[in-house]
Amino acid sequence: MSLVQVLGARLRYAGLHPRALAAWAGTDRLSALPALLPALLERDLTPASTLLALFVAGREVPLDRLRLAVDLDALNRLDLIDIAGTSARARSAVLPIGQALLACDRLDTAPSPDLVCWPDDSSYHLALALPPGRKQRWLDLGSGSAFAPLMRPELTTEIAATDVNARAVELARHGAELSSVAHLTSYVSDLADEVPADWRGTCSIVSCNAPIPERDDDPYRPRWRSTDLGFIERLFAQAASCVAPNGIVVVHGAHDALAPVIADLPGERTVVVYTPPGARGFAVAWWVPGAEPRHVEAKRTLTEARPHLTHDDRIAALAGTLPAA
Ligand SMILES: C[S@@+](CC[C@H](N)C(=O)[O-])C[C@H]1O[C@@H](n2cnc3c(N)ncnc32)[C@H](O)[C@@H]1O
């Protein structure tokens, strides 16, 4: 075990895990935290909340408090904190997700093109839309901090994740090591360009929570959020070359960008839109290139009890039990 793996296990043991997060914040849904953090920052520090305050809320924490929770020297040596005087701050957020720890930029990080984004609801839509059952190879394109692989590492025996943002790849590797997810390999890559050639045609799952194509040439737009208008077409072309003959491609994205590309694909296409009428539509698309040609478009209303799409929505759309989009 590496020192980082040991530290990750200690952090989880000492309170950086979803149950402790839910007890502290009222939810373990990471996408709900940005709205809750201002109030959480005001709370008194307790032994149980020290690591959450440091790594989730991004708060400055007195060293003597931190020392009680975890090996301070290890945190410092492994560059997880900056120490100033008698207190420390986390260099990046470290968020509990399932059995894993995810590293991304703190919520108070100034916007920049290379910001490594906090997981939002789109991250959950994509991760939960992946088909269950253990398979061999999964390629997650535009993986960011590797939310989906860290939330569902059990889905395959090998995972490759790519991102064009080198900082995102650095943090994805950090999260994977803290989580001892050793079968995840992350590449700095435009889509699948840098993935080893022997992955072509072999992936049981190819996934992407796509940035939003926009008519905007602003060079400072955040890369995690928006992209050029040709992105979805290039994404599906690369997915087609990587997916195994019996594999599936799962993409979360803007419906207006997905629709024209999906319309021209062979095989089975299932699209479920989840946004209400009047807002820009967002959807998950499942594509099985090797299946009989079929194209189903349905919609599903999100509820408090079922706030994200899941793979069950694909099954329901194919069975005709969801309303047409
Ligand atoms: C909406 S974010 C999704 C991040 C993460 N997968 C999640 O679900 O939280 C889109 C990601 O795609 C990455 N990206 C944008 N263009 C890309 C490209 N051409 N190749 C690879 N990644 C790209 C961004 O840097 C960003 O991390």
Side-chain angles (χ1 to χ4, degrees):
M1 252 190 158
S2 72
L3 285 178
V4 177
Q5 288 173 324
V6 171
L7 182 63
R10 283 202 194 139
L11 289 173
R12 291 196 295 277
Y13 181 75
L16 214 50
H17 55 75
R19 258 181 304 109
L21 175 60
W24 177 63
T27 179
D28 64 1
R29 184 169 151 189
L30 301 179
S31 53
L33 294 177
L36 303 172
L37 280 185
L40 293 169
L41 279 168
E42 299 299 316
R43 296 244 189 108
D44 286 341
L45 270 187
T46 65
S49 69
T50 301
L51 289 178
L52 293 163
L54 178 75
F55 285 116
V56 179
R59 179 179 159 168
E60 211 169 273
V61 168
L63 294 179
D64 49 359
R65 283 302 188 100
L66 201 49
R67 208 172 271 121
L68 295 176
V70 76
D71 179 352
L72 193 56
D73 289 341
L75 283 185
N76 197 19
R77 254 194 341 244
L78 298 173
D79 282 340
L80 269 80
I81 52 172
D82 286 320
I83 294 180
T86 56
S87 56
R89 277 199 95 177
R91 299 194 107 182
S92 35
V94 178
L95 309 176
I97 174 84
Q99 304 291 316
L101 293 172
L102 171 146
C104 66
D105 276 325
R106 286 194 333 237
L107 271 176
D108 62 344
T109 305
S112 80
D114 288 343
L115 184 87
V116 183
C117 63
W118 192 276
D120 63 13
D121 283 314
S122 71
S123 315
Y124 283 90
H125 287 300
L126 191 267
L128 294 169
L130 301 171
R134 190 134 168 106
K135 302 181 182 67
Q136 202 195 338
R137 278 186 168 174
W138 167 16
L139 171 60
D140 188 42
L141 301 168
S143 195
S145 54
F147 178 89
L150 292 174
M151 185 177 179
R152 305 199 61 190
E154 77 291 351
L155 285 181
T156 56
T157 52
E158 290 176 273
I159 311 173
T162 75
D163 205 285
V164 76
N165 179 357
R167 291 193 62 249
V169 170
E170 197 184 309
L171 288 174
R173 288 177 181 151
H174 187 47
E177 194 171 8
L178 281 170
S179 309
S180 293
V181 174
H183 61 297
L184 167 61
T185 308
S186 295
Y187 301 91
V188 180
S189 174
D190 183 0
L191 291 168
D193 283 357
E194 305 303 322
V195 175
D198 68 359
W199 275 59
R200 303 273 156 188
T202 66
C203 299
S204 314
I205 305 172
V206 179
S207 61
C208 181
N209 178 14
I212 306 169
E214 271 168 337
R215 283 177 208 290
D216 178 359
D217 293 328
D218 176 2
Y220 300 106
R221 67 183 174 192
R223 263 193 284 201
W224 65 270
R225 203 170 61 197
S226 63
T227 186
D228 62 280
L229 294 176
F231 180 86
I232 297 291
E233 204 165 339
R234 287 188 286 124
L235 165 64
F236 275 92
Q238 293 245 9
S241 76
C242 293
V243 71
N246 57 353
I248 187 166
V249 178
V250 187
V251 177
H252 173 278
H255 185 239
D256 54 12
L258 289 171
V261 179
I262 299 275
D264 290 339
L265 295 174
E268 181 195 280
R269 292 141 291 159
T270 313
V271 179
V272 177
V273 182
Y274 62 83
T275 34
R280 188 172 186 182
F282 282 87
V284 171
W286 293 265
W287 176 38
V288 185
E292 289 296 308
R294 192 171 172 200
H295 186 178
V296 176
E297 294 241 355
K299 61 183 175 194
R300 211 264 276 165
T301 305
L302 303 182
T303 62
E304 215 165 295
R306 296 182 64 210
H308 300 111
L309 293 187
T310 70
H311 187 255
D312 287 347
D313 290 306
R314 169 178 175 243
I315 305 295
L318 289 171
T321 56
L322 284 182

